[in-house]
């Protein structure tokens, strides 16, 4: 089945630092997404990407859809304590009912 | 107003019992899902319903039976609970035109003792 490999598994950073995480797939997706999960809550959609090469920002977050359609990355600039959480990449194909999630990157930010 | 609400938030029960988790969405979405998140936080789809019809059943044991009385509700009933069923179960919904945009509930943490 389709699998997403997300790295790193966890990151410990200082407030103000930039963060980068990525996701690769064994197969092609035509939609890549990034979700964030806060403790005790469900994941919340941050960014959706629909076109190979697309670069999209949402505040301090920037994500890119890889040219091969098999990868994506997420950058967070100038991290703040409330960025703490688990970031999930996800892949989806248009018309389908299944969204596949990566294993998550746990981000810890020290003030 | 909570968009996707599921109850209960916590469920502690003995092995062998039967339990249900309820989910409701007030977003007018056509598709609803159940996801299971294990102790390593891995999220795996279990079921997907579209307008009350089962679309996806991801090789989930027969002890798990989803029921969708209408497109705003998707409940999950689990028979003969086992230790390995302990996890966080998330309900989610999406609109047909944007099925990739999932709206999740806050989860039900199930602990089987």
């Amino acid at each position: 089945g389709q699998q997403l490999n997300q790295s790193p598994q966890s990151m410990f950073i200082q407030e103000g630092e930039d963060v980068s995480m990525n996701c690769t797939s064994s197969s092609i997706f035509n939609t890549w997404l990034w979700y964030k999960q806060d403790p005790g809550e469900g994941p919340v959609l941050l960014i959706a990407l629909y076109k190979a090469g697309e670069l999209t920002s949402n505040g301090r977050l920037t994500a890119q859809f890889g040219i091969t359609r098999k990868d994506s990355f997420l950058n967070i600039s100038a991290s703040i304590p409330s960025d703490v959480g688990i970031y999930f990449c996800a892949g989806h194909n248009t018309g389908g009912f299944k969204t596949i999630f990566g294993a998550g990157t746990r981000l810890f930010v020290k003030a | 107003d909570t968009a996707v609400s599921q109850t209960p938030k916590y469920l502690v029960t003995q092995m062998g019992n039967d339990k249900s988790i309820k989910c409701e969405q007030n977003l007018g979405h056509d598709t609803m899902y159940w996801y299971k998140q294990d102790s390593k936080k891995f999220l795996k789809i279990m079921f997907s319903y579209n307008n009350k019809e089962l679309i996806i059943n991801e090789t989930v044991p027969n002890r798990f039976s989803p029921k969708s009385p209408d497109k705003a509700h998707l409940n999950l009933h689990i028979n003969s609970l086992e230790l390995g069923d302990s996890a966080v179960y998330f309900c989610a919904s999406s609109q047909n035109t944007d099925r990739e945009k999932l709206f999740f509930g806050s989860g039900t943490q199930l602990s089987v003792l």
Side-chain angles (χ1 to χ4, degrees), chain A residues 35 37 40 50 95 98 106, chain B residues 9 40 58 99-100 102:
Chain A
Y35 285 81
Q37 184 178 19
Y50 297 97
K98 194 186 294 189
R106 290 143 190 75
Chain B
K9 176 75 174 171
K40 294 184 179 177
E58 281 288 299
R99 279 200 209 107
E100 72 282 2
L102 295 168

Side-chain angles (χ1 to χ4, degrees), chain B residues 4-112:
Chain B
V4 180
S5 58
Q6 54 182 109
T7 55
K9 176 75 174 171
Y10 300 97
L11 190 49
V12 182
T13 189
Q14 299 282 342
M15 254 173 41
N17 284 351
D18 303 337
K19 290 292 178 186
S20 292
I21 307 172
K22 294 186 175 181
C23 180
E24 175 182 4
Q25 53 96 3
N26 62 6
L27 298 166
H29 287 167
D30 301 299
T31 310
M32 295 185 73
Y33 312 79
W34 279 107
Y35 276 82
K36 180 180 180 180
Q37 187 172 49
D38 62 23
S39 57
K40 294 184 179 177
K41 305 299 184 184
F42 189 66
L43 268 168
K44 187 166 167 44
I45 190 168
M46 299 171 68
F47 300 103
S48 171
Y49 270 72
N50 182 252
N51 284 316
K52 303 193 299 175
E53 282 193 44
L54 179 66
I55 303 295
I56 291 175
N57 179 341
E58 281 288 299
T59 60
V60 179
N62 290 338
R63 298 181 296 103
F64 290 78
S65 52
K67 283 195 171 47
S68 182
D70 55 63
K71 74 173 194 176
H73 295 84
L74 180 62
N75 303 322
L76 184 65
H77 187 76
I78 316 170
N79 287 329
S80 303
L81 279 156
E82 299 177 359
L83 294 176
D85 297 332
S86 296
V88 181
Y89 292 85
F90 285 101
C91 177
S93 72
S94 66
Q95 188 56 280
N96 265 347
T97 49
D98 296 295
R99 279 200 209 107
E100 72 282 2
K101 293 181 179 173
L102 295 168
F103 290 77
F104 284 88
S106 57
T108 295
Q109 182 157 349
L110 172 65
S111 300
V112 183

Side-chain angles (χ1 to χ4, degrees), chain A residues 46-47 56-63 74-77 83 87:
Chain A
L46 298 173
I47 292 179
T56 296
S57 293
N58 177 3
R60 293 177 296 105
L61 277 60
T62 302
L74 175 71
N75 285 342
I76 305 173
S77 62
D83 290 334
Y87 292 80

